[in-house]
Amino acid sequence: MAKRKPAPRPRKKKRVLPVDRLRKICLALPEAEERETWEIPTFRIRNKIYVMYVENDDDRPGIWCKAPTGSQTILVGADPDRFFVPPYVGHKGWVGMHLDHRVDWKEVALLVERSYRLTAPKRIVKGMGRVASDD
C-alpha cells in the first residue's frame, strides 16, 4: 500500500508592516536614504529629514512629514482621526498621519513625495518631473 503525502499546508501570507511599506515609498525617491535617529527610522535627502516613522504610546504607527503652507490646518481639520499635529515639528507646519485602519498608500506616497520635494535641492526636484495632482 502506497503512503499518501500529507496535504500541503496553506502558506500564511506574510504581513507587511507599515514601516516596510513606507520604506519602499521613501527609498524609491532620488538619493533618499534611511537613518535611525532617536531610535526611529528617519528618511532623508542629503542629510535633511523629510519623513519620520513613529509609533505613539499605544503602538499606533504613523508618519510625520513636511507639508506645504496651510496643508496641516486643512488636513487635521478635515480628518482629525487620521491626521494630527506632531510634537516638536508641528509648529513648523509638519503634519502627522496615522498608518492604521485602512491606509490609502497612494495618499501616503503623495504626502511623502510632497515632503521630499519641499526638502530636496531644487536641481533634484526639477529632474523628477511633476506629480499629477500638482497640476
Side-chain angles (χ1 to χ4, degrees), residues 53-62 80-82 98-101:
Y53 175 81
V54 296
E55 290 185 0
N56 66 12
D57 295 336
D58 299 327
D59 291 330
R60 189 172 188 192
D81 290 332
R82 283 191 316 142
H98 295 294
L99 298 180
D100 55 1
H101 307 301

Side-chain angles (χ1 to χ4, degrees), residues 56 108 114-115 125 128:
N56 66 12
V108 172
R114 283 187 177 160
S115 182
V125 172
M128 290 176 61

Side-chain angles (χ1 to χ4, degrees), residues 79-134:
D79 194 349
D81 290 332
R82 283 191 316 142
F83 297 101
F84 60 95
V85 177
Y88 312 113
V89 292
H91 69 282
K92 294 180 179 181
W94 284 51
V95 67
M97 180 183 190
H98 295 294
L99 298 180
D100 55 1
H101 307 301
R102 298 184 184 157
V103 178
D104 179 350
W105 287 99
K106 288 181 182 179
E107 183 178 38
V108 172
L110 180 63
L111 290 172
V112 165
E113 185 172 335
R114 283 187 177 160
S115 182
Y116 176 90
R117 287 173 176 273
L118 290 168
T119 309
K122 289 179 181 161
R123 181 185 54 79
I124 293 175
V125 172
K126 186 177 179 183
M128 290 176 61
R130 294 185 56 84
V131 177
S133 63
D134 285 348

Side-chain angles (χ1 to χ4, degrees), residues 6-12:
R9 292 183 188 175
R11 288 187 179 189
K12 282 188 176 182

Side-chain angles (χ1 to χ4, degrees), residues 16-36:
V16 179
L17 299 173
V19 69
D20 295 327
R21 291 187 83 163
L22 178 66
R23 182 175 286 123
K24 185 175 180 179
I25 292 167
C26 290
L27 296 179
L29 296 166
E31 297 186 34
E33 65 175 300
E34 178 179 354
R35 190 176 310 156
E36 189 172 308

